[in-house]
Amino acid sequence: MLCIIAMISHFNDKGQEDLDYIVVLGAQMRNSGPSIIFKYRLDAAYDYLIQNPDTVCIVSGAKGNNESVSEGEGGKEYLVSKGIVENRIIAETNAVDTVQNIANSLEIIGDRDGLTIGVVTNNFHVFRGVHLARKLTDNEVCGIAAYTVPWYLPNNMVRECFGIFRDLKKLG
């Protein structure tokens, strides 16, 4: 029950204005474009980037066996197609899970103090993404929650509980 409460506590995270970076956590790319879950993440990033023109976006995710393009590149292409200037978007293409999404993106950002970083993911996933990032950097981290179709929530929230326990235990 605590796990569900922790997730719900971040369902409406909106980040803060003028973040230095936002990191979009990858999800499946299909031949036709981003999966619905990934599209919601990318649309939330798009809305944020439109309102905050100095923020740089990292879209993170490798190419899975069932994907024709990496999640990082596919997500970047999607944002560019919607009108975001290409030089504001960095594709991280090696991460295969949430811990690597965060760690690899922080490596791209570099070891600079005083930065502000937003983690963009679906509402059920924000708690884990933000807490992993806070374990891996001393910079200020906040969440930006993307929509999730309500009927996807029960399954995703149960799976997310297992992910929270696994990843937080892994990072101690």
Side-chain angles (χ1 to χ4, degrees):
M1 187 61 155
L2 286 175
C3 191
I4 301 293
I5 292 168
M7 278 185 265
I8 291 171
S9 73
H10 287 271
F11 263 40
N12 296 309
D13 284 7
K14 300 292 182 215
Q16 63 188 50
E17 289 185 17
D18 300 320
L19 294 168
D20 295 304
Y21 291 90
I22 59 171
V23 175
V24 183
L25 303 183
Q28 186 171 28
M29 282 296 300
R30 302 188 187 286
N31 289 335
S32 59
S35 65
I36 191 71
I37 290 284
F38 197 21
K39 184 179 178 306
Y40 286 134
R41 294 176 189 187
L42 293 165
D43 288 343
Y46 170 81
D47 291 342
Y48 186 88
L49 292 167
I50 290 297
Q51 295 171 12
N52 298 277
D54 294 327
T55 300
V56 174
C57 177
I58 300 172
V59 183
S60 180
K63 178 183 174 296
N65 293 338
N66 60 347
E67 295 172 312
S68 59
V69 64
S70 73
E71 296 162 6
E73 284 296 333
K76 179 177 180 173
E77 289 172 17
Y78 179 83
L79 290 170
V80 169
S81 76
K82 289 187 63 131
I84 301 297
V85 179
E86 188 171 356
N87 67 2
R88 289 182 66 200
I89 308 164
I90 300 166
E92 184 288 315
T93 60
N94 296 311
V96 297
D97 62 24
T98 303
V99 173
Q100 288 182 13
N101 287 139
I102 300 289
N104 294 359
S105 297
L106 290 172
E107 191 172 304
I108 289 168
I109 291 168
D111 193 21
R112 296 179 287 157
D113 292 333
L115 295 176
T116 53
I117 302 165
V119 176
V120 183
T121 192
N122 301 89
N123 52 13
F124 65 86
H125 196 226
V126 173
F127 172 81
R128 180 162 50 131
V130 165
H131 284 78
L132 287 170
R134 287 179 179 161
K135 285 188 170 285
L136 295 172
T137 185
D138 292 329
N139 286 304
E140 186 178 340
V141 177
C142 61
I144 300 172
Y147 178 74
T148 302
V149 177
W151 58 82
Y152 291 169
L153 285 173
N155 181 53
N156 282 314
M157 289 176 77
V158 169
R159 287 182 43 231
E160 187 65 9
C161 284
F162 290 105
I164 288 169
F165 292 128
R166 180 195 63 233
D167 289 349
L168 296 179
K169 185 175 163 185
K170 188 187 306 184
L171 293 176

